[in-house]
Amino acid sequence: MKTEFSPAQLANPDIAEADKILRACVHCGFCTATCPTYVLLGDELDSPRGRIYLIKEMLEKDRPPTREVVKHIDRCLSCLACMTTCPSGVHYMHLVDQARVRIEKEYARPLTERLLRSVLAWVLPRPGLFRLSMILARLARPLAGLLPAPKAATASPSLLRRIKAMLALAPGSLPASGPAGGSVFPALGNRRGRVALLQGCAQQVLAPRINQAAINLLTRHGIEVVLVKDEQCCGALTHHLGRDDDALARARANIAVWLKEAEGNGLDAILVTASGCATVIKDYGFMLREDRDFAAAAARISALAKDITEYLGSIELQPAQQQSDLVIAYHSACSLQHGQKITHAPKELLSKNGFVVKDVPESHLCCGSAGTYNILQPDIANRLRDRKVANIAKVKPDMIAAGNIGCMVQIAGGTSVPVVHTVELLDWATGGPRPGLN
Ligand code: SF4
Ligand code: SF4
């Protein structure tokens, strides 16, 4: 694609990056076929190619974002299916991230929308506040029936509609908190390695059993696990809301504490059980590339970050202790398959450990979770969830496995089949408790 940025514009490293990305696009439109919003809405401006044009216009003409641009960028899930499909290697993620930052800085959203986004950005990365909000949401749930019912996808769902979506996501009860930051779990037997495990924010409130399963599994296999003290939310939630100052501050804080741990007692990897978080941590190196104080450290941390299944695939797991004939529908989270290009490792691990693993039809399509998307765009998100659940039902599973808490909550909202994390099944197969009691 031809671009017309001025030399002055290209002096800005973000614009130079956008220019490089835009020039790689050859307008072929292959990406439209796998874009969930284009598949549902059929509007070219809700396709990757359409959004790329909108972003190009906005950046090239150095115009403030228009209502139309914001509508179509807000509808993008950042699922990155377009990046998997694109034959030209267009880095759509870095382009849309940049567009979201510009929208956040320059577009005056209606007051209620600004308030909602501020509340989400403030509450979700803070486990204490998130826990409190879940308790309040549970108490308010009986009122949800009085709020407007889902409609066809609207440009800007009302605040009440979004509050209804939030209430629907609140669980019936909350488990006790997991172990605190600073905890160390020694390897059982000979120590083969030492890793940090990201504590996460929403996940540690909704499902601390996931990291517990990871700790059990790793220590059983001779890996010492540390929950690094003073670690924060990885920044993914605010990053996807376009609030980069917050996301970068969190990235810098995490880099500092992880680096201290790596240089102190040593770390072979920083493991993540929520694939949405790992995708962003692996991008810290890019996000901080212009920061003289942090660029090198950020690149080092990104290289240490691994999805848990990526790491488990690199160590020899004990033979499965029981042969299960359970059929597992494997839901491939977008952040895992498109964001990190991890497609086979989780399924291979499950198969090797005695499970009958089935791929879900249309597995490239997002379930509609996408960070805060299922709150901000509940109508599109619900349609995607219903489509995902219908596809999962076709393989008649006993359980559904996924590697991302957002997907697990989203899918569980539409099915009675137990939804578990891949690592819970692997822990069970190698001697841990049976999962699926959610
Ligand atoms: S990230 Fe997903 S929703 Fe957004 S343009 Fe790409 S395929 Fe479509
Ligand atoms: S598939 Fe890639 S090159 Fe083709 S239109 Fe989409 S982004 Fe551009």
Side-chain angles (χ1 to χ4, degrees):
M1 183 182 285
K2 195 164 167 296
T3 59
E4 289 172 359
F5 291 105
S6 68
Q9 284 177 302
L10 290 170
N12 175 334
D14 287 338
I15 295 294
E17 185 63 30
D19 181 61
K20 194 172 87 193
I21 298 168
L22 290 166
R23 280 173 178 272
C25 177
V26 294
H27 323 245
C28 65
F30 286 170
C31 51
T32 57
T34 56
C35 171
T37 53
Y38 183 73
V39 169
L40 285 192
L41 307 172
D43 183 340
E44 171 75 13
L45 293 180
D46 284 315
S47 78
R49 185 171 58 181
R51 293 185 176 116
I52 288 170
Y53 275 115
L54 292 174
I55 297 170
K56 176 179 185 288
E57 275 289 296
M58 175 175 74
L59 296 181
E60 226 171 40
K61 307 264 164 41
D62 204 10
R63 286 189 190 137
T66 62
R67 195 162 176 266
E68 190 73 355
V69 170
V70 175
K71 177 173 93 172
H72 296 290
I73 299 300
D74 279 356
R75 281 182 179 172
C76 171
L77 294 132
S78 280
C79 69
L80 311 180
C82 46
M83 284 180 59
T84 298
T85 313
C86 177
S88 301
V90 172
H91 206 305
Y92 176 81
M93 180 175 95
H94 288 158
L95 193 64
V96 80
D97 284 350
Q98 203 178 129
R100 291 194 204 280
V101 171
R102 185 171 275 234
I103 288 170
E104 190 57 26
K105 290 205 167 119
E106 297 184 9
Y107 183 71
R109 293 183 186 274
L111 180 65
T112 54
E113 171 122 24
R114 266 184 286 156
L115 275 175
L116 176 64
R117 284 172 179 263
S118 296
V119 168
L120 292 174
W122 186 255
V123 171
L124 292 180
R126 294 173 170 82
L129 277 180
F130 181 61
R131 175 176 286 277
L132 183 64
S133 74
M134 287 292 102
I135 293 168
L136 295 176
R138 203 175 66 221
L139 295 175
R141 231 169 154 175
L143 303 175
L146 305 173
L147 300 174
K151 286 194 199 119
T154 50
S156 183
S158 69
L159 180 65
L160 290 181
R161 177 72 197 92
R162 287 163 165 168
I163 290 174
K164 186 183 175 97
M166 259 194 289
L167 296 181
L169 290 169
S173 61
L174 285 178
S177 303
S183 306
V184 178
F185 301 87
L188 302 179
N190 285 341
R191 193 175 105 173
R192 297 161 66 196
R194 187 173 195 273
V195 299
L197 183 65
L198 180 81
Q199 292 150 74
C201 32
Q203 180 176 292
Q204 68 169 276
V205 175
L206 297 173
R209 65 176 202 275
I210 295 173
N211 270 5
Q212 192 56 59
I215 292 166
N216 294 347
L217 180 62
L218 289 161
T219 52
R220 193 182 304 128
H221 287 84
I223 310 298
E224 181 166 296
V225 181
V226 55
L227 307 182
V228 176
K229 199 165 169 3
D230 297 329
E231 180 190 277
Q232 303 197 7
C233 164
C234 67
L237 289 160
T238 46
H239 181 60
H240 293 310
L241 287 168
R243 298 183 174 217
D244 246 28
D245 291 344
D246 180 281
L248 292 176
R250 291 180 186 282
R252 289 187 188 98
N254 283 334
I255 288 165
V257 294
W258 288 334
L259 214 52
K260 191 169 159 213
E261 189 68 39
E263 286 169 357
N265 294 315
L267 286 179
D268 302 325
I270 298 164
L271 300 188
V272 187
T273 52
S275 57
C277 306
T279 305
V280 170
I281 298 169
K282 287 181 176 183
D283 206 39
Y284 277 2
F286 176 84
M287 290 161 66
L288 289 165
R289 69 198 183 287
E290 297 294 331
D291 184 326
R292 257 193 265 160
D293 296 332
F294 275 87
R300 186 168 160 204
I301 291 300
S302 288
L304 276 175
K306 287 193 170 32
D307 180 76
I308 180 90
T309 56
E310 211 176 351
Y311 184 76
L312 292 174
S314 72
I315 60 171
E316 189 78 6
L317 290 190
Q318 296 166 8
Q321 295 201 353
Q322 39 89 21
Q323 195 64 28
S324 157
D325 56 0
L326 286 184
V327 175
I328 306 295
Y330 175 71
H331 164 71
S332 194
C334 296
S335 41
L336 208 49
Q337 63 166 324
H338 304 305
Q340 298 177 58
K341 307 290 180 223
I342 296 173
T343 50
H344 299 302
K347 290 188 285 184
E348 259 174 43
L349 285 164
L350 289 170
S351 299
K352 273 192 197 161
N353 281 280
F355 297 102
V356 180
V357 184
K358 300 268 184 180
D359 279 322
V360 174
E362 294 190 324
S363 61
H364 60 281
L365 285 184
C366 181
C367 66
S369 167
T372 54
Y373 192 92
N374 50 5
I375 295 170
L376 295 171
Q377 299 285 341
D379 304 325
I380 300 175
N382 282 353
R383 287 174 69 188
L384 287 170
R385 183 199 60 201
D386 293 346
R387 188 167 175 144
K388 181 64 72 185
V389 168
N391 275 320
I392 288 173
K394 289 179 189 160
V395 303
K396 300 188 172 49
D398 298 307
M399 285 190 193
I400 302 161
N404 192 44
I405 182 70
C407 309
M408 292 170 67
V409 171
Q410 174 79 348
I411 293 169
T415 178
S416 56
V417 179
V419 187
V420 299
H421 194 285
T422 308
V423 82
E424 291 182 275
L425 289 173
L426 297 173
D427 179 39
W428 176 34
T430 55
R434 181 184 164 127
L437 304 174
N438 55 331

